[in-house]
């Protein structure tokens, strides 16, 4: 009986994953011509960014994925920030474009640009990095700093990718890039906790299920007056502000 129940559960999950993937691709193909046009001029990139956000919203709507955001802080639309979150699932990327209303760039892995069609818009809107290449890491940091100087926010997963093998525990220590750019530009860091994204999409199998994504947006850490000597303490504070609410969500703290 248990085997039949498990088989049925796997079948339903497979069918849902197919449906969610189909919805994701169809909405993308519908919006892609408009996004492509908007990417041809720098002044139109904000519109392209909004269209990507619309893509995420429509995907969640038709895939039956709901989002609950608990705001301990509401970012000022006139201020730019460095947003930092844990990274346990590929759903994290779609979630960010839905919950953050600012004009921002991801700092994401270079391999994404190889995906047909999607790779083009991803590379045009975001900052790509090959973490195995020292020069690429330096270049992405410089581009991120220039984006902040231009008034654009940055979204980064400071673990350096989906690194942890023991969810819901994050990989630690966090990478320094987010903190270097925030301190250099004296821009606040906004921590975010993504509690259960890895339960909606499994990182290993990419199988999905519908459900409710739980997010907390925490008060910012100000960097005005900080120097690079303060980086280790700031890094640990940001780590704890993201990690501790996740552990509390699972009754582990």
């Amino acid at each position: 009986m248990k085997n039949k129940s498990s088989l049925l559960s796997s079948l339903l999950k497979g069918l849902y994953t197919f449906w969610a993937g189909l919805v994701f691709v169809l909405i993308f193909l519908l919006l892609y011509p408009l996004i492509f046009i908007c990417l041809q001029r720098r002044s139109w990139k904000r519109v392209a960014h909004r269209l990507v956000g619309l893509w995420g919203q429509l995907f969640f709507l038709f895939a039956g994925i709901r989002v609950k955001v608990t705001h301990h802080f509401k970012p000022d639309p006139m201020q730019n920030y460095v947003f930092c979150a844990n990274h346990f699932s590929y759903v994290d990327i779609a979630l960010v474009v839905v919950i953050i209303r600012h004009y921002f760039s991801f700092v994401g892995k270079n391999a994404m640009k190889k995906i047909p069609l999607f790779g083009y818009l991803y590379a045009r809107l975001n900052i790509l990095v090959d973490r195995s290449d020292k020069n690429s890491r330096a270049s992405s940091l410089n581009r991120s700093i220039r984006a902040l100087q231009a008034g654009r926010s940055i979204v980064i997963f400071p673990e350096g990718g989906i690194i942890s093998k023991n969810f819901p525990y994050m990989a630690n220590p966090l990478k320094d890039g987010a903190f270097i750019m925030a301190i250099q530009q004296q821009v606040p860091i906004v921590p975010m906790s993504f509690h259960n994204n890895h339960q909606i999409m499994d990182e290993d199998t990419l199988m999905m299920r519908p459900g409710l994504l739980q997010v907390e947006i925490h008060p910012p850490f100000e960097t005005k007056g900080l120097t690079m000597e303060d980086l280790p303490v700031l890094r640990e504070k940001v780590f704890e502000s993201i990690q501790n609410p996740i552990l509390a969500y699972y009754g582990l703290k």
Side-chain angles (χ1 to χ4, degrees), residues 29-199:
L29 292 176
L30 181 65
L31 293 176
Y32 188 82
L34 288 174
I35 297 173
F36 180 85
I37 291 169
C38 292
L39 289 175
Q40 303 315 303
R41 296 186 64 174
R42 183 181 295 271
S43 60
W44 294 350
K45 280 191 175 183
R46 284 181 180 267
V47 179
H49 180 84
R50 289 175 185 166
L51 288 170
V52 171
L54 176 62
W55 174 24
Q57 291 170 350
L58 291 173
F59 166 64
F60 283 158
L61 174 65
F62 289 104
I65 298 173
R66 294 167 295 129
V67 180
K68 180 182 178 182
V69 182
T70 300
H71 284 94
H72 303 290
F73 164 75
K74 291 197 174 181
D76 181 349
M78 304 305 293
Q79 166 78 53
N80 61 332
Y81 302 92
V82 175
F83 293 92
C84 292
N86 58 298
H87 193 21
F88 293 169
S89 168
Y90 291 112
V91 171
D92 300 344
I93 299 171
L95 178 62
V96 165
V97 300
V98 169
I99 66 172
I100 296 179
R101 302 297 183 178
H102 289 65
Y103 182 43
F104 67 82
S105 287
F106 271 117
V107 177
K109 61 182 181 180
N110 195 52
M112 299 288 279
K113 71 179 182 182
K114 297 177 182 179
I115 301 173
L117 298 181
F118 175 80
Y120 174 79
L121 73 87
Y122 191 84
R124 295 278 290 178
L125 286 174
N126 300 298
I127 297 166
L128 306 187
V129 57
D130 180 353
R131 296 192 183 277
S132 65
D133 184 334
K134 184 177 179 180
N135 292 330
S136 177
R137 295 198 304 270
S139 175
S140 68
L141 178 59
N142 289 333
R143 288 185 63 198
S144 298
I145 289 171
R146 290 198 298 271
L148 289 169
Q149 290 171 339
R152 193 169 183 177
S153 291
I154 293 292
V155 174
I156 188 167
F157 300 125
E159 292 170 274
I162 303 177
I163 304 298
S164 175
K165 299 302 180 185
N166 189 27
F167 302 154
Y169 292 93
M170 295 171 64
N172 196 30
L174 304 179
K175 305 297 184 184
D176 287 343
F179 311 101
I180 292 173
M181 67 179 77
I183 290 173
Q184 277 200 15
Q185 296 304 306
Q186 302 286 276
V187 170
I189 295 177
V190 178
M192 302 184 297
S193 299
F194 296 165
H195 293 312
N196 64 330
N197 293 8
H198 60 290
Q199 295 177 338

Side-chain angles (χ1 to χ4, degrees), residues 170-172 174 235-244:
M170 295 171 64
N172 196 30
L174 304 179
R235 181 180 59 204
E236 187 60 25
K237 286 181 177 178
V238 170
F239 172 80
E240 290 178 354
S241 71
I242 299 171
Q243 178 71 93
N244 289 343

